[in-house]
């Protein structure tokens, strides 16, 4: 059974940083496609960052490019999202997601991945 548990969310001021973590069980980080998506109240889910972990290939939404970095620790089977220069519009619930074999590995498909966690709230104040 795949389990994804996010942590690291919180409240910060604009310009601040946060690091989200996603502890993974039942799914081998080093073999799959994983990423982070977010959803703000009243808005659609947005794929933020995705990585094909076997090659460490990454892709980002334009809205976070240059500010967010996705990474993995294959030993700890953990996925991370380093978020810098945070803006109020980054406020959302952030979810970790993992793809099933055969799913497209990109930010568009990310919010529909087969496996996802419960989310961690990020709030950025101006």
């Amino acid at each position: 059974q795949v389990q994804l548990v996010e942590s690291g969310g919180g409240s910060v001021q604009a310009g601040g940083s946060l690091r989200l973590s996603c502890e993974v069980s039942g799914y081998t980080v080093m073999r799959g496609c994983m990423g982070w998506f977010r959803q703000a109240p009243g808005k659609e889910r947005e794929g933020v960052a995705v990585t094909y972990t076997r090659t460490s290939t990454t892709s980002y939404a334009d809205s976070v490019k240059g500010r967010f970095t996705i990474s993995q620790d294959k030993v700890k089977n953990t996925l991370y999202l380093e978020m810098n220069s945070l803006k109020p519009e980054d406020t959302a619930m952030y979810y970790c997601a993992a793809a099933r074999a055969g799913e497209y590995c990109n930010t568009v498909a990310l919010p529909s991945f087969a496996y996802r966690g419960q989310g961690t709230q990020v709030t950025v104040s101006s």
Side-chain angles (χ1 to χ4, degrees):
Q1 183 179 357
V2 177
Q3 286 192 317
L4 309 174
V5 180
E6 303 94 336
S7 61
S11 297
V12 296
Q13 290 191 325
S17 299
L18 283 172
R19 187 195 197 201
L20 305 184
S21 299
C22 174
E23 295 185 22
V24 184
S25 59
Y27 185 96
T28 304
V29 168
M30 66 180 294
R31 294 182 181 178
C33 177
M34 298 192 66
W36 295 88
F37 70 91
R38 65 188 181 186
Q39 187 166 26
K43 295 188 177 181
E44 293 189 356
R45 295 173 183 172
E46 178 189 18
V48 172
V50 67
T51 182
Y52 182 59
T53 55
R54 185 175 300 202
T55 60
S56 296
T57 304
T58 59
S59 181
Y60 298 90
D62 288 343
S63 57
V64 306
K65 206 170 289 184
R67 300 187 297 121
F68 290 12
T69 303
I70 188 171
S71 63
Q72 58 188 293
D73 186 322
K74 296 176 181 178
V75 174
K76 295 182 178 179
N77 220 38
T78 300
L79 188 73
Y80 302 100
L81 184 68
E82 186 77 35
M83 305 185 296
N84 298 313
S85 302
L86 283 162
K87 304 175 181 180
E89 50 264 43
D90 294 319
T91 296
M93 186 72 80
Y94 282 73
Y95 298 87
C96 173
R100 185 177 289 152
E103 292 185 299
Y104 286 109
C105 190
N106 57 50
T107 55
V108 175
L110 174 56
S112 299
F113 279 2
Y115 310 108
R116 69 186 69 138
Q118 293 301 306
T120 185
Q121 178 68 37
V122 172
T123 302
V124 184
S125 58
S126 57

